[in-house]
Amino acid sequence: MIAYQPIVLDPDKPLGNYIVVYDARTRDQRVRERKKTGGGAVTSFVIYLIEKNIVDAVVVARRKKGLVGEIVVARSAEEILSTVGNRWSVVPYTLKLREILSSSNIRRVVFVGLPCQAQFLKQMKMFPLMESDFSSKIYLIISLFCMGTYAIEGFIDYMKRTYSIKAEDIVDIHVAGDKLVVKHSSGVLEIPISETLYYLQHGCLTCPDYTGVFSDLSAGMSSKPGYTLLIVRNKLVDKLLHEAETHGYLELEEASTESIEYVINKSREKMRKAYEYLSHIL
Amino acid sequence: MSKPGLLLLDLGGCEGCSLSIIRVLPQLSRIVEVYSRYTGNLDLKQKYDYAVLTGPICLNSGDHIEMLKKIREQTNTLLAYGSCASVGGIILYARGGQEPRPEHRVYAPLSRIVKIDYAVPGCPPAPQMLITLLNHIKQGRGFFLDLFKAVASIHKLSGFDLMDEVVLPGLCVGCGACVLSCPTQALHVIDNHPDLIPEKCIRCGTCTVRCPRFSQILIRRYLRTSIQQNIMGGSR
């Protein structure tokens, strides 16, 4: 069977091609204790895939120090749990990853990344331009919703100058409505997102993809509090999700019209901004 | 229904692309009727649905240029396969007088001479690439097909373009796609962004089509110029 080629540029299909959308949340106690935002459904789902030996490894980013991240090839539930939380920067996939993945004891891998990473992983899987593309090993691509990432050096400097918060003191950052909520060692700070727009990476301003139309499963914050919105793009993922539900890892319910409308609006907004910006640089 | 005919022809170069195609020849024969040197039925006189051309065109060789033009006339869908055919590749560095092919000095991607429908970079593209590509061309449009069409409309792509168009103007978000795709490891990550080692870049163009930013830019530019050409074409 030929996999369908996504069309990222179509404003009529802001979510790309999908078969079903769920609101989901975890039922796994380990994830509940650790989770920071959303419903923890992605974490539970990949833990299910690892624990039932459906995949050998999960490639995911983890916060290392300050706001700097690193790529982890996680092979156990504990390793996955250590990566729980939001990402604030794109973490480069490097040659080290290729070395790890070319080892013979890893046969099936799940990638959790951002829409841009989903795009090239899909290309590697569908149209391998190189034999070293480990295309046969890419089992699933999970993309997290992304409104853009910060140029972290500038952002850290801004936090330090304006609010006297050092990167090391930041415990957690998440988005609530149009506010950026920064938890730090001596309190909580709320900044309007519009104030931080200058510190977005310029490349992100040209990216029209909010949900990750190239992925197999897109996930992100739902408008329903405490839930993760899951956009399922193929039957395999749907089957796996239902199995995970049967095994008690997570609970699924079909997303309401409001939840879908919410993410459609976000996607349209990003697309509109991207095309406006792209027209300046073409 | 009979299978569509496909011409396989190597115009020169290192034969890496040919070897890559030969490895999928059995699967290829299931979806198309292959005409080539390897299957012993090469015939440049008949009409084809597809032609897959590998290797660059030598601008000093009139015979080859005439042959290429004739193939274009006789073929519905022309594919420039591999880096030399699609974007120039390492053979752009040919100066003439070099071993092992000392006769000629000016090589170019095929799109300099004729209109190419799909250009696929890769040095060489992985064997299964050709099968997927043909299946998708049959199926119709899609993001990646548009991308390969866009590559066919330009004459050069390399790590240098990646640096000029994405990294240096600050559009790079540091996803690492280019570093993972470079066959010669000419790209490496410094402070979360790629940097090019010029001596190592063989101008294969793989990094540029892998880059999420650059591929978007390529497609947008291609769509824009093709719309303009359609409008202009009507008044000519």
Side-chain angles (χ1 to χ4, degrees):
Chain A
M1 200 194 84
I2 308 164
Y4 188 81
Q5 278 186 84
I7 301 175
V8 74
L9 301 155
D10 192 353
D12 295 332
K13 276 189 179 175
L15 302 187
N17 294 299
Y18 63 89
I19 52 173
V20 62
V21 183
Y22 294 117
D23 268 325
R25 66 175 175 183
T26 181
R27 279 171 63 189
D28 190 328
Q29 198 50 43
R30 293 168 295 176
V31 182
R32 265 189 208 163
E33 282 163 12
R34 301 256 201 149
K35 78 179 169 117
K36 289 178 179 148
T37 52
V42 175
T43 315
S44 302
F45 182 50
V46 290
I47 288 181
Y48 163 74
L49 295 175
I50 283 275
E51 289 192 331
K52 298 288 171 199
N53 284 324
I54 298 169
V55 298
D56 302 314
V58 178
V59 176
V60 62
R62 163 166 76 187
R63 185 180 173 191
K64 199 164 67 180
K65 195 180 140 227
L67 296 183
V68 182
E70 63 176 349
I71 287 284
V72 191
V73 181
R75 300 205 206 185
S76 66
E78 286 69 41
E79 278 180 290
I80 295 169
L81 285 168
S82 75
T83 67
V84 169
N86 280 18
R87 307 285 159 273
W88 312 291
S89 63
V90 188
V91 184
Y93 284 0
T94 56
L95 290 171
K96 204 176 139 221
L97 182 72
R98 192 194 280 169
E99 270 165 41
I100 299 167
L101 292 180
S102 47
S103 71
S104 54
N105 54 0
I106 294 182
R107 287 160 297 127
R108 281 171 162 188
V109 185
V110 176
F111 286 84
V112 183
L114 296 177
C116 45
Q117 290 168 323
Q119 181 181 336
F120 77 77
L121 287 168
K122 187 75 169 190
Q123 198 183 355
M124 280 167 117
K125 189 179 176 184
M126 280 173 76
F127 293 95
L129 288 177
M130 287 173 65
E131 283 208 56
S132 52
D133 273 352
F134 46 82
S135 50
S136 59
K137 292 188 178 179
I138 303 174
Y139 186 63
L140 286 182
I141 305 164
I142 300 177
S143 160
L144 307 173
F145 295 173
C146 173
M147 210 59 197
T149 56
Y150 287 108
I152 47 172
E153 300 81 6
F155 183 69
I156 289 172
D157 187 50
Y158 175 74
M159 296 299 288
K160 207 169 145 190
R161 259 187 303 129
T162 323
Y163 300 103
S164 313
I165 298 172
K166 285 189 211 143
E168 304 87 83
D169 298 338
I170 296 173
V171 183
D172 177 43
I173 300 182
H174 65 263
V175 177
D178 55 358
K179 291 249 167 56
L180 197 67
V181 182
V182 183
K183 271 189 204 154
H184 53 95
S185 48
S186 49
V188 181
L189 175 74
E190 286 191 9
I191 328 171
I193 287 186
S194 54
E195 195 181 305
T196 61
L197 284 183
Y198 286 110
Y199 301 95
L200 280 180
Q201 297 213 66
H202 273 207
C204 293
L205 296 176
T206 66
C207 170
D209 194 0
Y210 174 66
T211 58
V213 296
F214 292 92
S215 64
D216 300 309
L217 173 68
S218 299
M221 245 201 341
S222 171
S223 57
K224 190 171 176 179
Y227 280 80
T228 310
L229 195 77
L230 299 178
I231 302 176
V232 181
R233 301 186 193 278
N234 66 41
K235 283 184 185 149
L236 172 70
V237 177
D238 200 28
K239 192 183 122 230
L240 290 170
L241 275 173
H242 280 292
E243 280 169 15
E245 190 186 22
T246 323
H247 284 92
Y249 281 80
L250 46 84
E251 54 185 73
L252 296 173
E253 58 183 77
E254 214 152 298
S256 62
T257 328
E258 293 83 57
S259 299
I260 300 177
E261 279 294 319
Y262 176 76
V263 66
I264 285 181
N265 285 339
K266 285 248 182 188
S267 304
R268 286 231 168 93
E269 190 188 329
K270 189 170 181 186
M271 218 182 268
R272 187 185 55 75
K273 270 189 198 153
Y275 290 157
E276 195 184 315
Y277 196 80
L278 254 180
S279 62
H280 289 297
I281 59 162
L282 276 181
Chain B
M1 208 178 83
S2 65
K3 285 184 280 188
L6 179 137
L7 170 72
L8 272 185
L9 186 69
D10 186 39
L11 293 164
C14 74
E15 305 274 334
C17 296
S18 313
L19 278 173
S20 157
I21 295 174
I22 288 172
R23 283 171 56 189
V24 285
L25 217 46
Q27 291 103 298
L28 196 60
S29 306
R30 267 178 238 146
I31 51 172
V32 287
E33 193 67 45
V34 180
Y35 293 84
S36 71
R37 203 155 49 96
Y38 324 115
T39 42
N41 56 355
L42 182 67
D43 178 4
L44 293 179
K45 293 197 180 80
Q46 72 174 77
K47 285 195 186 317
Y48 290 102
D49 297 295
Y50 301 103
V52 177
L53 305 181
T54 56
I57 184 80
C58 168
L59 298 182
N60 303 122
S61 168
D63 295 353
H64 279 94
I65 291 178
E66 290 312 314
M67 183 174 78
L68 181 60
K69 285 181 179 167
K70 204 166 157 235
I71 292 173
R72 171 71 273 187
E73 279 168 25
Q74 295 172 167
T75 311
N76 281 339
T77 310
L78 194 59
L79 280 79
Y81 196 70
S83 289
C84 292
S86 58
V87 294
I90 184 94
I91 205 141
L92 293 177
Y93 287 104
R95 304 274 193 272
Q98 290 162 302
E99 293 295 339
R101 293 293 301 274
E103 303 97 285
H104 302 304
R105 63 175 64 178
V106 190
Y107 292 85
L110 308 182
S111 56
R112 286 260 190 223
I113 307 292
V114 292
K115 184 184 172 295
I116 301 290
D117 296 300
Y118 298 97
V120 181
C123 191
Q128 60 270 42
M129 173 77 197
L130 186 55
I131 308 278
T132 337
L133 188 66
L134 289 173
N135 280 333
H136 278 100
I137 290 175
K138 252 193 253 171
Q139 218 185 17
R141 268 195 75 180
F143 180 82
F144 295 124
L145 279 190
D146 281 355
L147 179 60
F148 295 129
K149 269 188 194 164
V151 175
S153 67
I154 48 177
H155 307 310
K156 69 168 182 104
L157 268 184
S158 67
F160 295 89
D161 296 282
L162 184 81
M163 291 302 287
D164 286 349
E165 302 246 10
V166 177
V167 183
L168 300 184
L171 295 180
C172 173
V173 293
C175 68
C178 51
V179 177
L180 270 186
S181 68
C182 183
T184 58
Q185 305 187 0
L187 288 155
H188 56 157
V189 172
I190 294 180
D191 289 340
N192 286 327
H193 289 306
D195 204 10
L196 182 74
I197 306 166
E199 299 86 348
K200 280 191 176 178
C201 179
I202 56 167
R203 291 185 168 261
C204 71
T206 315
C207 54
T208 56
V209 292
R210 276 290 159 72
C211 172
R213 289 292 86 76
F214 207 166
S215 52
Q216 300 271 5
I217 293 174
L218 283 173
I219 291 178
R220 297 289 294 182
R221 267 192 203 144
Y222 163 72
L223 292 176
R224 201 176 61 168
T225 44
S226 61
I227 290 168
Q228 279 168 355
Q229 274 167 1
N230 279 344
I231 298 166
M232 303 270 285
S235 62
R236 259 179 213 165

